Amino acid sequence: MANSIEKRSITQEASDKLIAAATAKAEEMGVPMCISIVDESGNLKAFRRMDGAALLSVDIATNKAYTAISFGMPSHGWHEFIKNDPPLLHGIVHTPRLVVFGGGYPVKEGGHIIGGIGVSGGHYEQDMAVAEAGLAALAD
């Protein structure tokens, strides 16, 4: 029996690509955003607060990224997961750092979660579009 596991982690270069592509999309939309990249363990790897982005969005962006890597699904997936389950709906939302609306996605490579991206600053649908633009940059 092994006493350890191997984990993959997002590189600084990949983190920078995510930030750049997400920023470009937010600028195109005209919405100042906070963009957060975390590694596979939820630790902050890269961050950008665009000029004019709301202060409240700083922690929300990071928590969206953390939510995405914590369970391996986008943050918006949580609403579907809990909406018809009263104990979860009323209990899990009190979990620190859990965000149950859009804008957080796991970053995967070869089926492994290597990090997460979280975006906050607009409506959650705008946040999702900006995060998705970031992810698309890694698909190239």
Side-chain angles (χ1 to χ4, degrees):
M1 176 173 79
N3 291 322
S4 65
I5 61 168
E6 260 187 63
K7 292 165 84 172
R8 295 185 188 179
S9 189
I10 192 165
T11 64
Q12 188 63 54
E13 183 179 0
S15 298
D16 293 344
K17 280 179 88 170
L18 286 166
I19 293 276
T23 299
K25 181 66 174 179
E27 287 173 343
E28 175 188 307
M29 294 168 67
V31 180
M33 301 271 190
C34 289
I35 305 155
S36 187
I37 310 301
V38 299
D39 67 15
E40 80 294 343
S41 296
N43 295 304
L44 188 63
K45 183 76 175 193
F47 181 81
R48 174 166 292 155
R49 181 179 178 212
M50 297 172 63
D51 292 342
L55 182 58
L56 184 63
S57 294
V58 171
D59 286 338
I60 293 172
T62 303
N63 290 340
K64 285 180 180 184
Y66 180 86
T67 296
I69 64 98
S70 294
F71 212 66
M73 70 179 182
S75 57
H76 64 272
W78 275 95
H79 178 72
E80 247 344 276
F81 189 66
I82 66 174
K83 72 178 185 179
N84 295 318
D85 189 333
L88 278 178
L89 179 63
H90 298 291
I92 200 150
V93 294
H94 300 289
T95 303
R97 302 193 69 188
L98 177 69
V99 178
V100 298
F101 47 89
Y105 291 85
V107 178
K108 296 182 179 182
E109 179 181 69
H112 299 274
I113 295 172
I114 62 169
I117 182 171
V119 177
S120 181
H123 184 274
Y124 67 83
E125 289 178 347
Q126 293 171 308
D127 297 348
M128 291 168 67
V130 169
E132 290 166 359
L135 290 172
L138 292 187
D140 295 344

